[in-house]
Amino acid sequence: MGGLTARPAEIADADAIARVHVQAWKEAYAHLLPAAFLDDRDVGQYAERWRTIIGSGSTDVAVADLDGVVVGWAAAGAGRDHDAPRDRELEGIYVLAAVYGSGAGQALIDRAVGDAPAYLWIAEHNPRAEAFYHRNGFRRDGVVKREQLGPHTLDVVRMVR
C-alpha cells in the first residue's frame, strides 16, 4: 500500500487512536470477549486516556498513518512489571483488520521496539498476533496471568526476545 508511514503520535491523534483502539479490540477479541462488552467501549473515554498518555511523555506512542488516516498504533516504555524480564515493554499494538498484511503492524513494531530486547503480554488463544510476534523474534517464556477486563477475565501470556 502506498502512503503508509509510522510516526510518533501527537496529542491531536488521540481521537483517531481511540477509534482504532476500540475497533481493533472488537476485531481482535470477538472470539475471546462478549460482543456486548466490546460494544460498550467508549471512544471518548479512550481518547481522553490517550491525550493523557501522549501528553505525559512517559510512554512512546506511534501511529500508522495511511494516506492521512490513522489505521494503527503502538505504545512502548519501561516495563510496567516489577519482575520485568527486559527493560522495554511493548505495551500495546493494534491495527485495523482492513489493513492486515499492509506492513502497518511491522512499521509500528519497528518504531516502538526495533530489534532491541523487549517483552509483551498477549491474550491467550490469539494465533494471528502470536504468529506476528514470532516473526519478530518473540517467544513465550512460560509466564501466564489473568487480566480483569470489567467483569471478564482473560488469560494473557508473556513473550520475550
Side-chain angles (χ1 to χ4, degrees):
M1 284 186 173
L4 176 68
T5 59
R7 60 171 174 78
E10 302 170 356
I11 290 176
D13 294 316
D15 291 329
I17 294 169
R19 282 191 297 279
V20 169
H21 195 156
V22 169
Q23 184 62 35
W25 264 46
K26 289 177 183 179
E27 295 167 350
Y29 300 137
H31 67 293
L32 297 173
L33 293 165
F37 174 77
L38 294 170
D39 289 343
D40 199 34
R41 305 301 88 211
D42 183 280
V43 172
Q45 288 178 345
Y46 277 77
E48 193 53 44
R49 267 188 27 212
W50 280 111
R51 277 189 275 284
T52 300
I53 291 167
I54 296 166
S56 76
S58 61
T59 300
D60 297 325
V61 181
V63 295
D65 182 304
L66 179 61
D67 297 326
V69 177
V70 172
V71 295
W73 62 268
R80 298 173 290 179
D81 301 288
H82 73 280
D83 62 344
R86 301 285 188 266
D87 292 336
R88 189 129 175 102
E89 178 185 4
L90 180 61
E91 298 174 12
I93 181 171
Y94 292 92
V95 298
L96 297 174
V99 298
Y100 284 175
S102 70
Q106 191 62 52
L108 286 168
I109 201 168
D110 290 347
R111 177 166 281 283
V113 295
D115 59 3
Y119 76 100
L120 58 92
W121 292 96
I122 180 176
E124 180 75 276
H125 309 297
N126 194 352
R128 181 180 185 86
E130 188 165 355
F132 171 75
Y133 295 129
H134 261 255
R135 286 192 304 276
N136 281 278
F138 289 90
R139 300 291 181 261
R140 289 182 183 217
D141 71 352
V143 177
V144 180
K145 67 179 179 179
R146 293 189 72 90
E147 285 286 324
Q148 193 69 36
L149 299 170
H152 309 285
T153 56
L154 190 65
D155 287 334
V156 295
V157 298
R158 191 168 66 189
M159 297 183 77
V160 179
R161 69 162 186 211

